[in-house]
Amino acid sequence: MKFARARFAAALFVLSSCAPRAYICRPASNRDYLPRLKEIIKGAKEKLYISQLYFHMDEITRPLVFLLNEAVDRGVDVRCILEDSVSYNAEALPLLKRIGVEARPDSGDIFSHSKFVVADGEKVIVGSTNLSSTSIDRNNETNVFIKDKKLGQWFEEYFMAMWNGDAFPGSVTSGSVTTVETSFADEALIGMFERAKERIALLIYGIKIYPGEKENPVMKVIYALFAAADRGVKTGAVMEKSDYNDTLNKMTDDAAEYFRSRGVDVSFDNEKIITHAKLAVADDTVMIGSSNWGYGGFELYREANIVIKDEALAKYFYKYFLMVKEQGAAK
């Protein structure tokens, strides 16, 4: 494990010093997600792999089934892995199989929470959006679209590792993007917070704190955040305030109080809008993906996250953070 963590730290060092190169990495958040997803499906020529928590059949997602059917008809190898414990998938999996998609539940041993689609080992959309009308058409969600062969190949290998039950690939860097190995989101966040000099902005959907457990990965991330605040970095977080999930609210209330006690500015989103985004911005670096701030999200689950060192994208997502914060202030 020490070797693996050292390897990941080395990848982040490469990211911090790499030169720009020709590739595409663009935001695909909120209502921009669906058009980009459709574009990826329609453009797939050989392979299309989908890893999702669930595929809820509704007015927004059912048209995607027709697009997947068309992809199968033109000879694309379409595969889909869904989390076996989610009830929605009991309807989705048989339907996908009927149209020729190789669809299966995950192994059941590990909770699959990753949310990405990769086409032809080159085009990827990854982030927080689930395949449901609520997530796609109403929530605050953060995602990016990537077009890059090295990164696309990594996501394809990651998917096939889940498919075959093989070992997961180590992280790779291409241009300004580094993939984050499953169970290494905490290491990525700690590295970002330790390097931050001016500001850290966080959107947090789910968080569970473990006061007193110094070796808990969640607490290590939180301590790194507090250390940044102590050295004068402007630190802020917007957390989800639900209008129906009291359990979630209790956890975010506890975390907000704890953060505020150490000088982190915390506010809540508008409870009429679900902020399901998982976002960290530290100066010119961004982390996007599926991991919530919990022991499961940092250590146990199958997750998909990336770290991007790009000033323009960091500015975009910081403005996105401010938008969500303003939504909360306007409630």
Side-chain angles (χ1 to χ4, degrees), residues 169-230:
S171 63
V172 299
T173 297
S174 184
S176 61
V177 181
T178 290
T179 60
V180 179
E181 297 175 62
T182 192
S183 79
F184 280 81
D186 54 328
E187 296 291 323
L189 289 169
I190 290 169
M192 289 172 60
F193 297 167
E194 288 178 344
R195 290 188 297 273
K197 296 179 180 179
E198 296 182 6
R199 68 187 181 198
I200 295 171
L202 307 169
L203 293 180
I204 299 175
Y205 173 73
I207 180 170
K208 181 174 175 58
I209 60 173
Y210 305 82
E213 297 185 21
K214 294 183 179 180
E215 296 305 310
N216 187 291
V218 179
M219 298 311 297
K220 287 184 176 181
V221 172
I222 292 173
Y223 295 150
L225 177 66
F226 291 169
D230 289 344

Side-chain angles (χ1 to χ4, degrees), residues 71-85:
V72 171
D73 287 346
R74 63 177 182 267
V76 178
D77 174 19
V78 183
R79 304 188 190 194
C80 180
I81 296 175
L82 303 174
E83 165 57 31
D84 70 332
S85 67

Side-chain angles (χ1 to χ4, degrees), residues 43-49 74-78 119-120:
K45 297 177 180 179
E46 296 181 1
K47 293 177 284 187
L48 181 68
Y49 298 158
R74 63 177 182 267
V76 178
D77 174 19
V78 183
D120 299 325

Side-chain angles (χ1 to χ4, degrees), residues 11 103 126 183 261 289 315:
V126 58
S183 79
S261 73
K315 286 181 178 178

